[in-house]
Amino acid sequence: MILPRLALIGALLTASAVCAHEAAGQHGGRVADAGDFHVELVAKGENVDVYVSDAKQKPVAASGFKGTAILIVGGKPARVALEPADGNRLTGKAATALGNNPKGAVQLTAPGGATASGKFN
């Protein structure tokens, strides 16, 4: 009786870890859930690009969106304002180099005013 319960608990924990894990995006960044959207964070040097897609990974036009990336650099938070660029991309520039996989969050405000955030560990 205990063995089947332990197997079930193990399976649920494994499934939770897989669902919570960030996926690799089509632009070489990491993808996280942000409310009704998925956001892909791509950091190169000081440049920050965030690509927005829907739940089915279809690009969502960035026009009308506003965003902020709050990323950890040297143990301190760095805020990067994000503005719409081409297609489904928002872009911004940090004061210092961020590294390729910075930890932090991306906060979005959609054209209708709804807000969402995606977390990157």
Side-chain angles (χ1 to χ4, degrees):
M1 187 100 182
I2 291 177
L3 189 56
R5 286 184 186 168
L6 289 175
L8 177 61
I9 290 170
L12 290 173
L13 289 174
T14 302
S16 296
V18 169
C19 291
H21 186 69
E22 298 163 3
Q26 67 183 136
H27 300 97
R30 297 172 293 155
V31 177
D33 291 335
D36 293 336
F37 305 102
H38 290 261
V39 289
E40 179 181 355
L41 174 65
V42 179
K44 291 183 181 170
E46 295 91 16
N47 298 318
V48 178
D49 290 321
V50 174
Y51 296 87
V52 183
S53 59
D54 65 14
K56 296 182 180 181
Q57 295 297 329
K58 293 185 181 178
V60 173
S63 61
F65 275 86
K66 294 179 184 178
T68 303
I70 304 168
L71 305 171
I72 305 302
V73 179
K76 298 180 182 176
R79 297 178 74 83
V80 180
L82 301 170
E83 297 295 330
D86 54 329
N88 66 325
R89 181 173 64 102
L90 290 105
T91 190
K93 193 163 189 126
T96 62
L98 301 168
N100 291 335
N101 292 310
K103 295 180 181 184
V106 171
Q107 299 174 333
L108 294 179
T109 302
T115 60
S117 63
K119 189 174 182 181
F120 296 89
N121 296 319

